[in-house]
Amino acid sequence: HMARQGCAHGPRRPGNMHPDAHNDLVTLTDAVGQRLASGEPATLAPGTCFGRFRVIRPLGRGGMAVVYLCEQLSPVERLVAVKRVSGVRSDPEARLRFDIERQSLAQLNDPGIARIWDAGSSPDGAAWIAMEYVNGLRLDHWWLQRQPPPMLLLRLLLKLCDAVAHAHRRGIVHCDLKPANVLVVEGIDGPQVRVIDFGIAKMANLAVEGIVGTPAYMAPEQFSDPLGVDPRADVYALGVVIGEALTGEHQRGSFWTTDAAATLLGHVALPRHRRREVAALLARACAEDPAARYPDALALGDELRRLLDARPLDVLAHRRSYRLACRVRRYRWPILGVTTLILLSAGYAVLAWQQNRALQAERDLAEQMVSVLLDTYRAADPVRYPDGSATARELLAGATQRLDLRDLPDIVRIRVLEALAEVQLNLELHADSEASLRRALELADPGRKAELELRLATVFHHAARHADAEALVMRISAGQAPGSALFLDAQLLGAEIHLAQGQADPAARYLAAVDPWIDGRSDAPIAGELA
């Protein structure tokens, strides 16, 4: 408790210093001295206090700095990440880098970037920055553990682009973006990113020679022209991170601009058109020439957002067919609904047209039948039949020839001829009935010819032309499937033809062909006729 009080109130004059606080300072000084002698940054033991902080454990270390998880003791108690940089007094460049990082973090206020709480220096000459402690996983460790689907991963990477874009809008280039400098924390709204370690960031109004980074993620210009680095260097690193996150394979940026990238992207669980879009995005982000890249993380994030929203990417927007395909994919459900409505409307229209055509045909048939009857009765010659004694047989005898003089659609003419043939048959005008049916056969479609031929065979049967009738029956039977209505009707007619001639055995053979299809089917149309 006394040691905590000593830490909370900061350094005291030697005469007033509490013995425990004095011992902490001695321990700190000895540790710093040993590390400085060895050329390494001092590592503070857990429980060591400096300023308002007590060390809990180290979180990581670099060439000149160590990051600790610390407990802040005043004015509020909380966990913080404190970065201590050694040797800033004796190394002007290290001091300048420290100032850049401190100023960079002070200007940034974005949920995707770890915030700065405080900064200062220690009596041993070390400078420190107290930052928000992010209890999360490194980005690469997170995707290896969670194995998220590609679309969720792309949405998380979009948040990373947005966070870096916040820094770019304030003239700050991170210069060392990589999975190790991005932490992922699980929140109520899903995974969130925190960008950390702006230790080598470049500010627009400050130039530091010899800017370094992680070679595997550094843009070509970071090697050749460190002073000319701008936000496009971060775009390059983000492109490498996106490719690595999707495929699980780390490659230099130049790899993503070649056809070889298609091999790795081919294993990504995305539709083919999505993989083509990702390939085009990576090729632009990782272009060797900075002028060919997206200008900053904001532009790259907008491109990712377009990809996630199924909108055309800028990098492919010059292709008209690609833009059309994007619109179709994006509005596929409305398009499908409208197309379905159009097809249903067209179907209803065709059905209505067919029904109207059928009604029209029935109406025309009725009108023509009336007209035929009127023409038939007008044919009665008042000179030949002065007393009006003409019979129906005499009036219908030449009706078929008179019908040919009328201008009728074929479908109506066939129906009238069938009806006329039926009437003529009932009046035993066999020759006229035959003429009507043969004329109908000339006009009928192939699908109706067998039915009309069966009617003609019936006329031959009633006219006692049994050989002609049976020849038609046999031809019709051979062309019909066994068990079909026409097949059964033809067999029954064949039986009738032989029964009329007193030939029981041939009639029995025809009936035997019918029996298998009639047995147990009392509702069959020909069952009553057979009985």
Side-chain angles (χ1 to χ4, degrees), residues 401-455:
Q401 291 75 18
R402 289 193 297 274
L403 186 62
D404 282 339
L405 301 177
R406 300 182 63 84
D407 183 18
L408 298 174
D410 286 348
I411 186 173
V412 175
R413 189 182 299 277
I414 292 170
R415 295 289 301 279
V416 172
L417 286 168
E418 286 183 81
L420 186 58
E422 185 72 20
V423 174
Q424 291 168 333
L425 177 61
N426 292 336
L427 294 175
E428 297 184 353
L429 298 172
H430 299 135
D432 293 317
S433 180
E434 179 184 353
S436 296
L437 288 172
R438 288 194 182 280
R439 180 63 179 140
L441 279 166
E442 293 174 3
L443 302 173
D445 294 332
R448 288 219 58 207
K449 287 187 180 296
E451 180 183 350
L452 292 172
E453 287 179 343
L454 187 62
R455 289 176 179 268

Side-chain angles (χ1 to χ4, degrees), residues 230-243:
D230 60 21
R232 291 173 295 187
D234 284 349
V235 169
Y236 182 95
L238 287 170
V240 176
V241 171
I242 292 171

Side-chain angles (χ1 to χ4, degrees), residues 259-526:
D259 293 337
T263 303
L264 288 181
L265 290 173
H267 301 297
V268 179
L270 286 173
R272 181 179 299 178
H273 69 276
R274 295 280 193 184
R275 293 199 297 269
R276 287 197 297 265
E277 290 175 328
V278 170
L281 181 149
L282 292 177
R284 183 170 180 182
C286 298
E288 293 291 309
D289 181 6
R293 297 180 208 144
Y294 297 101
D296 53 28
L298 178 62
L300 176 58
D302 288 342
E303 192 80 302
L304 259 181
R305 196 170 280 107
R306 282 187 284 270
L307 187 148
L308 292 168
D309 294 341
R311 290 183 288 139
L313 269 62
D314 277 352
V315 69
L316 297 173
H318 61 283
R319 302 179 184 176
R320 184 177 302 177
S321 59
Y322 165 74
R323 295 199 306 271
L324 177 61
C326 285
R327 290 191 180 94
V328 170
R329 285 192 293 267
R330 187 179 184 190
Y331 301 108
R332 59 186 179 276
W333 294 118
I335 290 174
L336 180 61
V338 171
T339 303
T340 302
L341 180 61
I342 291 174
L343 292 176
L344 287 175
S345 300
Y348 285 130
V350 171
L351 181 61
W353 175 79
Q354 291 176 338
Q355 291 177 341
N356 182 66
R357 186 180 178 186
L359 290 174
Q360 183 71 27
E362 293 293 336
R363 187 187 70 182
D364 290 346
L365 176 63
E367 290 178 353
Q368 294 303 324
M369 288 300 297
V370 172
S371 180
V372 167
L373 290 175
L374 291 175
D375 285 350
T376 299
Y377 284 102
R378 287 193 191 103
D381 185 356
V383 175
R384 184 178 177 186
Y385 305 106
D387 298 327
S389 58
T391 64
R393 183 191 302 268
E394 293 169 328
L395 292 176
L396 290 171
T400 302
Q401 291 75 18
R402 289 193 297 274
L403 186 62
D404 282 339
L405 301 177
R406 300 182 63 84
D407 183 18
L408 298 174
D410 286 348
I411 186 173
V412 175
R413 189 182 299 277
I414 292 170
R415 295 289 301 279
V416 172
L417 286 168
E418 286 183 81
L420 186 58
E422 185 72 20
V423 174
Q424 291 168 333
L425 177 61
N426 292 336
L427 294 175
E428 297 184 353
L429 298 172
H430 299 135
D432 293 317
S433 180
E434 179 184 353
S436 296
L437 288 172
R438 288 194 182 280
R439 180 63 179 140
L441 279 166
E442 293 174 3
L443 302 173
D445 294 332
R448 288 219 58 207
K449 287 187 180 296
E451 180 183 350
L452 292 172
E453 287 179 343
L454 187 62
R455 289 176 179 268
L456 183 58
T458 303
V459 172
F460 289 159
H461 168 54
H462 284 280
R465 295 168 57 182
H466 301 303
D468 293 337
E470 186 170 14
L472 276 179
V473 165
M474 294 177 66
R475 187 169 74 187
I476 294 168
S477 299
Q480 301 299 316
S484 64
L486 276 175
F487 175 83
L488 297 178
D489 286 343
Q491 302 305 306
L492 289 174
L493 181 57
E496 287 182 10
I497 292 170
H498 286 283
L499 287 173
Q501 301 177 73
Q503 301 171 350
D505 290 341
R509 285 196 297 271
Y510 276 105
L511 293 177
V514 175
D515 283 341
W517 307 102
I518 300 302
D519 187 26
R521 290 183 54 196
S522 60
D523 61 333
I526 62 174

